Amino acid sequence: MFSSPAFSKEMKVDSKDSYGSAGCGLGSMLFGNQPGAVQVVAATTNGTLGNQTFGITTGTSNCGKGVINTSANPSIIQFVENNMDNLAKEIALGQGESLDTLAELMDIPSEGRSAFNENLQSHYSSIFPNDHVVVAGVVNNIIAVTLAN
């Protein structure tokens, strides 16, 4: 387990009143907390587009602060987006400049970076499950793998 100000298991949802029973996500942004069957549509929107997990992770889409404190370091998602191919190669190798930068952006202490790199390397297939994985999926998977260990 890694401890850092930008990376925490704690998640606070500050915007509970802005969504209905479907929960946070794009559905909440489209339908808010309108009562009734519209919440089924909101939940379907969240589930179909897979945006709720990303929102919970990053604190977007009415999902509160999120697991990654993107307000403390909004560049994590941007970095992954701009360096996805290099990160995939370096995670497979367990080392590299992009991987070091990701660890730095996530405030992984220098003494924990070797373990961080090894952990991501051993879970490569979970982080990049297929050729069509998107940035949000990669970020979610990196977080899930990191928090699990």
Side-chain angles (χ1 to χ4, degrees), residues 130-141:
N130 58 56
D131 292 339
H132 306 293
V133 68
V134 296
V135 171
V138 170
V139 171
N140 283 335
N141 296 338

Side-chain angles (χ1 to χ4, degrees), residues 2-128:
F2 300 98
S3 169
S4 77
F7 197 67
S8 167
K9 266 190 166 178
E10 291 188 32
M11 179 180 68
K12 293 182 179 180
V13 176
D14 295 333
S15 55
K16 185 176 178 182
D17 294 334
S18 62
Y19 57 79
S21 57
C24 67
L26 183 58
S28 74
M29 297 177 73
L30 295 173
F31 304 105
N33 60 1
Q34 298 175 45
V38 73
Q39 290 301 310
V40 174
V41 177
T44 302
T45 301
N46 291 340
T48 302
L49 300 176
N51 59 69
Q52 194 171 39
T53 305
F54 182 73
I56 291 168
T57 302
T58 61
T60 57
S61 303
N62 283 342
C63 292
K65 290 184 176 181
V67 174
I68 289 180
N69 185 353
T70 53
S71 63
N73 197 340
S75 58
I76 293 170
I77 295 168
Q78 186 70 41
F79 178 79
V80 171
E81 183 173 23
N82 292 336
N83 297 283
M84 187 103 113
D85 291 340
N86 284 340
L87 274 174
K89 292 174 190 171
E90 293 178 10
I91 287 173
L93 295 171
Q95 62 182 354
E97 189 174 317
S98 296
L99 189 53
D100 291 342
T101 302
L102 176 65
E104 189 171 312
L105 289 172
M106 294 175 69
D107 289 334
I108 303 296
S110 58
E111 63 272 10
R113 291 188 183 168
S114 178
F116 174 76
N117 292 353
E118 289 173 14
N119 183 39
L120 295 186
Q121 181 183 28
S122 68
H123 292 92
Y124 179 87
S125 62
S126 298
I127 296 168
F128 297 98

